[in-house]
C-alpha cells in the first residue's frame, strides 16, 4: 500500500528495514522504533500483505502471524521477565499505523509500563452479563 510506513519496511525502502529480526514468506518481525521501555526489545509482527484490522486478515495470514508471534515470544522471554502481546484496532483503541501489527513488549520489574491501567467494572446484573454473552454469540454466526 502506497504511503504505508510498514509496507515500506517490508519492501526495504527505508532505514528501519535494518531492524528486521525475522522474515518468512508471509510475515516479518522488526524492532518498534520507540520501545515501550528503556531496555528495548519491543518487537512488531506484521503480515506482509497490507490489511488494516485483525478481522481483515486471511486465515492463512492470521495463522502465519500467530506462528511468528510464538517464535519471537520464545526469544524475547529468554531475556525478559515477562511479556505482553498487544494489538490495537482503530484509533479509539490506540491504532496509529493502519497496517495490522502485534506488539510484543518484554517486561521487567518496575519498568513503569501501564498496560493494566483499566479499572475492573462490574455488570449491573446477571441478566446484563448473560445478554452480552448472547449478543456476542449471535454476532459469531455472521
Ligand atoms: P499502534 O499505536 O498500535 O498503531 O503502534 C504503532 C507503533 O509503530 C508505535 O509503537 C510506533 O513506535 C511504531 N512505529 C511507527 N513507525 C515506525 C517505524 N518506521 N519503524 C518501527 N516502528 C515504527
Ligand atoms: Zn501496509
Amino acid at each position: 500500500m502506497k504511503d504505508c510506513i510498514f509496507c515500506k519496511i517490508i519492501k526495504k525502502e527505508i532505514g528501519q528495514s535494518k531492524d528486521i529480526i525475522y522474515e518468512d514468506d508471509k510475515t516479518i518481525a522488526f524492532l518498534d522504533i520507540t520501545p515501550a521501555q528503556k531496555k528495548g526489545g519491543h518487537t512488531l509482527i506484521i503480515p506482509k500483505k497490507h490489511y488494516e484490522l485483525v478481522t481483515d486478515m486471511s486465515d492463512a495470514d492470521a495463522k502465519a502471524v500467530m506462528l511468528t508471534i510464538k517464535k519471537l515470544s520464545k526469544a524475547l522471554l529468554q531475556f525478559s521477565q515477562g511479556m505482553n502481546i498487544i494489538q490495537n484496532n482503530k484509533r479509539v483503541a490506540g491504532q496509529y499505523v493502519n497496517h495490522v501489527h502485534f506488539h510484543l513488549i518484554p517486561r521487567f520489574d518496575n519498568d513503569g509500563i501501564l498496560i493494566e491501567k483499566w479499572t475492573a467494572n462490574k455488570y449491573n446484573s446477571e441478566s446484563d452479563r448473560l445478554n452480552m454473552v448472547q449478543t456476542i454469540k449471535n454476532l459469531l454466526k455472521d
Side-chain angles (χ1 to χ4, degrees):
M1 161 86 62
K2 205 162 109 357
D3 297 334
C4 170
I5 190 81
F6 288 177
C7 283
K8 287 182 179 159
I9 292 175
I10 292 163
K11 288 193 229 134
K12 318 263 163 58
E13 286 175 1
I14 59 169
Q16 261 85 55
S17 304
K18 291 197 295 294
D19 295 345
I20 294 176
I21 298 164
Y22 172 80
E23 175 167 14
D24 58 34
D25 59 331
K26 288 191 164 51
T27 70
I28 64 167
F30 56 102
L31 283 184
D32 191 302
I33 199 166
T34 56
Q37 33 69 0
K38 288 189 191 317
K39 291 193 172 160
H42 179 165
T43 299
L44 299 175
I45 294 177
I46 62 174
K48 285 185 169 173
K49 188 166 172 195
H50 182 97
Y51 302 103
E52 185 173 344
L53 305 176
V54 69
T55 44
D56 297 333
M57 281 192 289
S58 70
D59 288 357
D61 281 335
K63 285 178 194 168
V65 163
M66 185 46 79
L67 290 177
T68 301
I69 289 172
K70 189 174 159 197
K71 184 183 281 286
L72 268 290
S73 298
K74 278 188 184 158
L76 296 180
L77 280 168
Q78 287 175 62
F79 79 82
S80 62
Q81 293 167 272
M83 190 195 68
N84 294 109
I85 300 172
I86 296 173
Q87 193 268 321
N88 301 325
N89 294 282
K90 302 195 183 184
R91 187 61 58 89
V92 71
Q95 182 177 15
Y96 285 87
V97 175
N98 291 334
H99 185 131
V100 64
H101 52 280
F102 290 75
H103 296 259
L104 269 54
I105 304 179
R107 300 298 304 270
F108 302 92
D109 265 342
N110 301 313
D111 60 19
I113 299 178
L114 295 176
I115 288 171
E116 305 88 355
K117 64 181 183 300
W118 60 76
T119 50
N121 290 289
K122 282 193 162 53
Y123 286 92
N124 289 329
S125 62
E126 180 169 347
S127 73
D128 273 6
R129 204 178 67 246
L130 296 180
N131 279 341
M132 182 51 68
V133 171
Q134 200 52 52
T135 299
I136 300 172
K137 274 182 159 181
N138 290 343
L139 290 169
L140 275 179
K141 290 174 192 149
D142 293 343

